[in-house]
Amino acid sequence: MKSDNKPDVCVVGLGYIGLPTAAVIARAGCKVLGLDVSQKVVDTINRGEIHIEEVDLDGLVHGVVSRGLLSASTEVAPADVFVIAVPTPFDKNHAPDISYVLAAGRTIAPVLKHGDVVILESTSPVGTTEQMRDMIAEMRPDLKVPGLTSEIPDISIAYCPERVLPGRILEELTNNDRSIGGVTPRCARKALAFYKRFVRGECVTTDARSAEMTKLVENAYRDVNIAFANELSIVSDKMGLDVWEVIRLANRHPRVNILSPGPGVGGHCIAVDPWFIVHGAPDETPLIRTARGVNDGKMHHVIAKAEALIEAHPDAKVACLGLAFKANIDDFRESPARFVASRLVRKFGSRISIVEPHADELPIEFTDTGVSQIDIDDALETCQILIVLVDHDVFRVVPLAERADKLVYDTRGIWPDQPRVVREEEARLKLVG
Ligand SMILES: NC(=O)c1ccc[n+]([C@@H]2O[C@H](COP(=O)([O-])OP(=O)(O)OC[C@H]3O[C@@H](n4cnc5c(N)ncnc54)[C@H](O)[C@@H]3O)[C@@H](O)[C@H]2O)c1
């Protein structure tokens, strides 16, 4: 460590989590090297620019790069603290893929030295931090590794999950509480001292396995509760009820707080992480597994309703509003809106237009489909059917006067004042009741 007592930090993986984390640590005065396998990402950051959309991130990255506090590379270098934020996807059988984490561990192992702290932030199945520790121990038999030595270990290893909300990442990185799980209590203390440099929220120490499970549980909790709302929306369609009205009223109960239905559940976290629990305990997780099925099934319900509406109006032009997996972001991973829109485009071709203010161009599956990307004003001018798939603010603020004559299928409930024409339409099409 340098004389000013600020650790040099290496952040491995410069995506939605790693880049803001690297920038926030640099803002705290630490010298940060960002490591990524993508040369394009590295070059972009070294120009002081960013490759993802996140509120206020561009200014922060520009500032810390120009002050020489953040630089990026594809080559690892020695540091005092290593923070790993690489992807943890699942495979086609929903089994977690921790190969990126192990690859990151393999990359840093050769440069580890006495006193270093290694922190895994990627969402990981229980036991991953210990697996990474075992791999480092194998690669570096010269180092005393925590949990595998009776002496004071040379390095510390901890798991500290991220619970930020896209669109508010910089604020939440600093202000959210953190769970810090050490492979040993000493590791947790070392990691805690590091996070205290830039986190204002409360940092609670625990063991690595509990911290890993905590992150998975948080997202499974959200998934199960959203599944309840989505199931209610399907039941309400069947019974000819307005689910938003039902939820609004039920939530007046002091101990009821039903979440909002939508076109499904997407993103890199809530739609993925529950599977890590199911995979670890397949016979003990009927509820979590079922919730995943309900949320995925909601996409097909939305597609069927939208198709029926579009087929009943063969001359109408249709706008799908939104592709992102949630409001006001440019992240399209595992997005149910994207899935629904692509299915409608496949069936109805150029009758469909897409409005996605957070995309410069449409994702690959829309190439050569005849679909056009238009803005919300074009959609209001030229389309008779509007299918709301994402609750972006830019859609939410469209006043009733500009959409009163449209046929609207609002999967996000952003326009409670919309005339009930679609519900009457549904009854006519025998979609409900
Ligand atoms: N995005 C979120 O909102 C969010 C929230 C909480 C937790 N997480 C978790 O954080 C982790 C990272 O997610 P993300 O959204 O930042 O992913 P991302 O795909 O946006 O970024 C990952 C980056 O890691 C790089 N990378 C891959 N393998 C590498 C390696 N071996 N060495 C160096 N760089 C490598 C990729 O090139 C990419 O730039 C995941 O485990 C995710 O589940 C994400």
Side-chain angles (χ1 to χ4, degrees):
M1 208 176 293
K2 293 169 300 175
S3 53
D4 64 3
N5 214 22
K6 287 192 173 137
D8 285 348
V9 180
C10 174
V11 176
V12 188
L14 297 171
Y16 283 92
I17 295 301
L19 180 56
T21 301
V24 165
I25 298 169
R27 183 174 62 191
C30 298
K31 192 139 199 234
V32 181
L33 174 73
L35 186 67
D36 204 286
V37 288
S38 162
Q39 187 66 51
K40 201 169 155 204
V41 166
V42 164
D43 292 343
T44 306
I45 293 165
N46 283 334
R47 285 196 305 271
E49 294 168 9
I50 59 175
H51 61 291
I52 52 171
E53 194 180 289
E54 178 57 38
V55 174
D56 295 336
L57 185 62
D58 48 356
L60 178 60
V61 167
H62 182 77
V64 287
V65 169
S66 48
R67 282 161 59 207
L69 288 168
L70 173 64
S71 62
S73 175
T74 57
E75 298 294 326
V76 73
D80 304 307
V81 179
F82 293 83
V83 177
I84 299 173
V86 293
T88 42
F90 56 41
D91 68 15
K92 60 182 185 326
N93 300 317
H94 299 125
D97 172 3
I98 62 164
S99 61
Y100 297 87
V101 171
L102 297 179
R106 266 195 299 278
T107 302
I108 64 169
V111 298
L112 290 176
K113 61 184 184 324
H114 177 84
D116 283 359
V117 181
V118 179
I119 300 164
L120 177 59
E121 285 205 359
S122 301
T123 304
S124 299
V126 174
T128 305
T129 311
E130 288 170 355
Q131 274 191 59
M132 187 181 71
R133 182 268 319 264
D134 293 348
M135 197 193 66
I136 290 172
E138 233 174 77
M139 289 180 69
R140 292 293 305 273
D142 56 313
L143 287 177
K144 291 194 273 299
V145 171
L148 301 179
T149 176
S150 52
E151 298 170 52
I152 294 179
D154 286 314
I155 58 171
S156 302
I157 301 179
Y159 179 75
C160 181
E162 196 44 75
R163 44 166 72 123
V164 291
L165 184 71
R168 287 171 46 88
I169 291 183
L170 291 181
E171 199 201 309
E172 295 208 354
L173 264 179
T174 316
N175 293 320
N176 284 356
D177 292 351
R178 306 287 298 238
S179 312
I180 298 175
V183 163
T184 64
R186 183 175 182 275
C187 294
R189 289 196 300 275
K190 296 284 181 195
L192 174 69
F194 171 64
Y195 280 100
K196 287 269 187 203
R197 291 179 178 278
F198 61 96
V199 172
R200 277 201 290 267
E202 201 174 327
C203 296
V204 183
T205 55
T206 181
D207 62 278
R209 292 170 69 87
S210 297
E212 288 164 341
M213 186 60 169
T214 303
K215 170 68 188 174
L216 305 182
V217 163
E218 288 165 7
N219 282 337
Y221 172 86
R222 300 272 303 156
D223 200 43
V224 168
N225 282 279
I226 296 168
F228 182 71
N230 276 335
E231 187 162 293
L232 280 187
S233 73
I234 295 172
V235 171
S236 297
D237 280 350
K238 172 118 181 140
M239 295 181 173
L241 294 163
D242 179 346
V243 68
W244 306 101
E245 177 76 353
V246 171
I247 291 175
R248 212 168 14 250
L249 292 171
N251 281 350
R252 295 183 82 92
H253 185 294
R255 285 167 295 284
V256 171
N257 183 18
I258 302 170
L259 301 183
S260 297
V265 169
H268 202 37
C269 294
I270 300 182
V272 176
D273 304 349
W275 287 115
F276 292 11
I277 304 181
V278 172
H279 187 260
D283 295 334
E284 291 76 20
T285 44
L287 178 65
I288 297 172
R289 188 194 292 267
T290 301
R292 276 284 67 240
V294 169
N295 285 332
D296 282 347
K298 182 67 192 293
M299 288 189 281
H300 298 283
H301 177 81
V302 169
I303 290 167
K305 268 184 79 168
E307 283 180 351
L309 183 62
I310 297 167
E311 275 165 0
H313 298 273
D315 299 326
K317 299 274 284 172
V318 183
C320 287
L321 305 191
L323 293 181
F325 83 81
K326 67 193 299 182
N328 305 324
I329 61 167
D330 72 337
D331 192 339
F332 307 105
R333 293 176 295 181
E334 315 287 330
S335 169
R338 175 176 170 176
F339 181 75
V340 170
S342 71
R343 289 286 290 269
L344 297 179
V345 166
R346 210 184 305 161
K347 182 149 186 174
F348 299 106
S350 60
R351 279 185 67 196
I352 311 279
S353 296
I354 308 282
V355 184
E356 180 42 86
H358 298 274
D360 293 334
E361 55 189 38
L362 295 176
I364 184 97
E365 65 271 28
F366 294 95
T367 313
D368 298 330
T369 56
V371 73
S372 46
Q373 187 180 8
I374 59 176
D375 67 19
I376 183 67
D377 290 324
D378 287 339
L380 291 165
E381 251 170 59
T382 60
C383 297
Q384 294 74 46
I385 296 178
L386 304 179
I387 300 179
V388 181
L389 297 171
V390 185
D391 45 340
H392 288 321
D393 286 347
V394 67
F395 306 150
R396 199 181 277 280
V397 296
V398 174
L400 177 60
E402 294 187 44
R403 53 182 159 79
D405 62 338
K406 306 291 180 196
L407 286 164
V408 173
Y409 176 21
D410 179 2
T411 70
R412 298 295 330 200
I414 61 169
W415 293 331
D417 54 358
Q418 188 69 27
R420 294 162 70 99
V421 55
V422 167
R423 296 250 314 287
E424 283 153 22
E425 192 75 11
E426 285 167 2
R428 195 171 68 71
L429 295 167
K430 302 209 176 357
L431 282 173
V432 300

